[in-house]
Amino acid sequence: MSIRHTAALAALLLLGTAPFAQAADKPTDPQIAHIAYTAGVIDVEAAKLAIEKSKTKEVVDFAKDMVRDHEAVNVQALDLVKKLKVTPEDNATSQALSKAAAEERAKLAKLDGAAFDKAYVDNEVAYHKQVNGALETLLIPSAQNAELKSLLETGLKIFQGHEQHAEHVAGMLK
Amino acid sequence: MQKRHLWIALMLAAGTVPARAETIQVTIDRLVFSPATVEAKVGDTIEWVNKDVFAHTATVKGSWEVMIPPKKSASLTLKTAGPVDYFCRFHPNMKGRLVVVP
Ligand SMILES: [Cu+2]
């Protein structure tokens, strides 16, 4: 491992973007597309669990917003990869993200009521923060195609908005 | 006829003819309200034109909220004077301001 890679890895670890740490090597556009899509799918799955389990209106409404926005971003992502004739490529980062998400969902599935609400919303804040960090420091700077970069930039604004929205919901639960 | 024209001319000169209510457009593109700040008068209508595939809102805390569906427009007629800051409830990082004069 070169010094540069070690530095990039350390920087990512410091940012708390653990699953992204494995992507210290610059990801390619097909890998970036796959990571961004996977990040969206993960949030939709967590939201569907919340819609099913939570009885708190603010939490269910928030979860429905997450489903709506992330599905909309992913439709755009699929349209773009089709247009660019890029095949999203599975990679270590996507796999690490999916694995961490499956663990989190298993944890959430065991909780109920206020404990579930709190754990879900706190995880939403942390998860959006993590994805924002990865978008800003790794995915956007690595993207080669201008349209992909632009979609990721819109995705970043959506994720930043969701992070603030989740913080607001977390504040209401207290 | 003659008299009325004169009357209108006088009113225009004195600036007492109330200006007609306008519709002012605010475009939403990639989570940005533009222009971010709009100056308007009471009675004017703000029309938000949403170019995004995402739903947004224009919300003033404790006051009004306008829902703006994806690829649609939504309007609000201004009833009270004063500056107000609004934001999108779904994406609170989206912010705008209306400066409403009487
Ligand atoms: Cu919004």
Side-chain angles (χ1 to χ4, degrees):
Chain A
M1 195 182 263
S2 73
I3 288 169
R4 213 179 65 213
H5 282 167
T6 314
L9 187 75
L12 282 163
L13 286 171
L14 277 175
L15 285 165
T17 56
F20 295 97
Q22 295 181 23
D25 289 308
K26 232 176 153 200
T28 63
D29 280 4
Q31 289 171 337
I32 291 168
H34 196 281
I35 294 166
Y37 189 85
T38 304
V41 167
I42 286 170
D43 205 45
V44 169
E45 283 173 356
K48 284 182 174 164
L49 184 66
I51 293 167
E52 192 187 301
K53 290 196 68 149
S54 180
K55 291 182 177 59
T56 310
K57 190 181 181 291
E58 286 79 11
V59 173
V60 174
D61 284 350
F62 171 81
K64 284 180 180 164
D65 294 342
M66 294 306 104
V67 172
R68 200 186 54 220
D69 277 1
H70 287 293
E71 283 184 345
V73 177
N74 275 359
V75 166
Q76 286 197 316
L78 286 184
D79 286 349
L80 181 62
V81 295
K82 209 195 259 171
K83 184 184 153 199
L84 300 177
K85 296 191 168 62
V86 164
T87 307
E89 184 192 312
D90 198 4
N91 58 85
T93 303
S94 290
Q95 285 159 16
L97 273 176
S98 296
K99 186 166 169 278
E103 285 163 12
E104 183 62 35
R105 268 202 309 282
K107 210 174 86 192
L108 287 174
K110 288 186 202 129
L111 301 173
D112 284 299
F116 173 86
D117 286 349
K118 189 180 181 327
Y120 167 66
V121 175
D122 286 351
N123 184 58
E124 283 299 288
V125 174
Y127 178 72
H128 282 87
K129 216 173 257 178
Q130 184 190 47
V131 175
N132 287 339
L135 280 166
E136 278 174 312
T137 60
L138 182 69
L139 304 179
I140 293 172
S142 303
Q144 296 299 309
N145 180 276
E147 282 180 89
L148 177 63
K149 209 186 254 288
S150 159
L151 181 61
L152 293 170
E153 278 161 356
T154 303
L156 174 61
K157 278 195 238 159
I158 284 275
F159 268 86
Q160 284 170 336
H162 290 173
E163 184 186 325
Q164 288 186 22
H165 191 183
E167 276 164 356
H168 184 239
V169 177
M172 283 195 299
L173 291 178
K174 268 166 200 160
Chain B
M1 228 14 194
Q2 203 75 352
K3 256 185 184 166
R4 212 168 78 199
H5 278 160
L6 184 66
W7 177 228
I8 289 169
L10 277 171
M11 272 175 47
L12 282 170
T16 51
V17 174
R20 276 185 51 200
E22 282 179 78
T23 296
I24 301 163
Q25 283 197 343
V26 174
T27 304
I28 305 171
D29 190 14
R30 293 176 211 183
L31 290 93
V32 176
F33 293 113
S34 60
T37 300
V38 163
E39 282 172 35
K41 302 176 300 294
V42 171
D44 284 351
T45 297
I46 305 293
E47 183 187 28
W48 286 272
V49 182
N50 185 1
K51 302 205 167 193
D52 284 344
V53 297
F54 316 106
H56 298 296
T57 74
T59 304
V60 174
K61 237 180 208 158
S63 188
W64 47 264
E65 171 163 294
V66 178
M67 285 287 295
I68 316 153
K71 301 277 178 193
K72 295 253 160 60
S73 298
S75 318
L76 175 80
T77 300
L78 303 167
K79 297 213 168 65
T80 45
V84 278
D85 291 313
Y86 68 92
F87 67 103
C88 169
R89 198 161 46 80
F90 303 140
H91 316 102
N93 51 339
M94 297 173 61
K95 291 184 175 87
R97 184 173 169 85
L98 304 175
V99 180
V100 189
V101 295

